[in-house]
């Protein structure tokens, strides 16, 4: 698809970090400290962590470490991230985009963050949480597994092929595609992956209600 794309959908599934909320500053701080503690190269670690749950990133970066240690380390990392909101801001256009969805189209947050972290980051960015939320506690597998997006579609009662995913990371875009959904990539990371169309930020997305819960998205 090209830059000015028109999509129709009955549901939108929205990632949080990098898509609605810019949390890159805190993610960099927390994960680079983790890299230092484990003698890993911070730049290489940052290539892996976006979009995944922490334990899944750790499994990639420390493949010989028992998963029990990854789960325990992930819990500590989530607490550390939840306590650090310095530099967390909304992606440009996110507030207006979310407002344009309310009462017009079914939508859900589908994030690798847990309830505490997603609530804190959305609040710090001044964004309203969608009523339907699929968080880390809701799934057994991290992106790039499609479970989260499929669960979001099921909770909204919409078939996967009628959903559009908004994502920024390679893991998230792969998850959306594996779920059989169309994917709008948001931000600079998305351009390196196989989204159907990529936008700089959410100011490049216009939502038009067509009635019956269907929307037309003008992207680009």
């Amino acid at each position: 698809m090209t830059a000015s794309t028109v999509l129709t959908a009955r549901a939108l599934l929205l990632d949080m970090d990098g898509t609605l909320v810019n949390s890159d500053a805190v993610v960099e701080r927390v994960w680079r400290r983790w890299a230092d503690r484990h003698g890993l190269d911070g730049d290489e670690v940052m290539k892996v962590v976006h979009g995944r749950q922490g334990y899944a990133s750790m499994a990639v970066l420390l493949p010989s470490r028992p998963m029990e240690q990854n789960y325990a380390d992930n819990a500590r990392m989530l607490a550390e991230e939840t306590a650090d909101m310095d530099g967390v801001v909304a992606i440009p256009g996110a507030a207006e985009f979310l407002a344009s969805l309310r009462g017009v189209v079914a939508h859900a947050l589908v994030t690798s963050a847990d309830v505490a972290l997603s609530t804190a980051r959305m609040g710090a960015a001044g964004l309203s949480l969608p009523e339907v939320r699929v968080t880390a506690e809701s799934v057994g597998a991290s992106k790039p597994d499609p479970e989260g997006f499929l669960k979001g579609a099921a909770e909204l009662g919409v078939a996967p092929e009628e959903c559009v995913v908004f994502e920024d990371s390679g893991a998230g875009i792969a998850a959306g595609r594996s779920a059989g959904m169309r994917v709008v990539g948001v931000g600079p990371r998305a351009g390196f992956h196989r989204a159907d169309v990529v936008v700089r930020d959410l100011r490049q997305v216009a939502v038009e209600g067509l009635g019956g819960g269907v929307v037309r998205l003008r992207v680009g």
Side-chain angles (χ1 to χ4, degrees):
M1 293 185 181
T2 59
S4 62
T5 299
V6 176
L7 304 171
T8 58
R10 291 187 177 274
L12 308 184
L13 302 175
L14 315 173
D15 175 52
M16 182 181 71
D17 292 303
T19 302
L20 299 173
V21 173
N22 182 346
S23 57
D24 283 0
V26 61
V27 172
E28 289 266 349
R29 285 194 295 272
V30 169
W31 278 99
R32 285 185 182 276
R33 286 197 296 266
W34 184 89
D36 288 343
R37 290 197 296 269
H38 293 279
L40 300 175
D41 181 86
D43 291 340
E44 294 303 311
V45 167
M46 295 313 302
K47 293 176 183 177
V48 171
V49 301
H50 291 291
R52 291 180 170 87
Q53 291 192 43
Y55 73 83
S57 296
M58 294 169 191
V60 172
L61 294 162
L62 297 173
S64 62
R65 190 165 81 157
M67 281 303 297
E68 291 77 8
Q69 292 185 33
N70 293 337
Y71 288 124
D73 209 359
N74 182 51
R76 290 189 290 270
M77 292 280 282
L78 284 169
E80 193 176 345
E81 289 185 87
T82 303
D84 185 355
M85 292 294 124
D86 188 23
V88 174
V89 297
I91 294 291
E96 295 82 0
F97 175 69
L98 287 170
S100 73
L101 307 183
R102 286 194 289 274
V104 176
V105 65
H107 60 286
L109 189 72
V110 182
T111 176
S112 294
D114 64 5
V115 169
L117 182 56
S118 58
T119 301
R121 282 190 177 158
M122 291 288 281
L127 299 176
S128 300
L129 280 161
E131 290 185 12
V132 176
R133 300 183 284 278
V134 179
T135 61
E137 297 95 337
S138 308
V139 297
S142 170
K143 300 170 186 177
D145 191 282
E147 181 186 359
F149 287 124
L150 291 171
K151 184 164 188 175
E155 290 198 17
L156 295 173
V158 177
E161 63 270 19
E162 295 184 302
C163 297
V164 171
V165 165
F166 285 75
E167 262 286 1
D168 73 300
S169 70
I173 291 168
R177 291 180 64 86
S178 293
M181 301 172 183
R182 294 154 295 163
V183 182
V184 176
V186 180
R189 280 189 291 271
F192 296 100
H193 305 286
R194 295 176 57 233
D196 293 292
V197 60
V198 177
V199 295
R200 181 180 62 256
D201 56 49
L202 293 169
R203 293 175 294 186
Q204 291 187 288
V205 182
V207 180
E208 177 189 356
L210 300 179
V214 179
V215 291
R216 178 185 292 126
L217 305 172
R218 296 189 183 277
V219 185

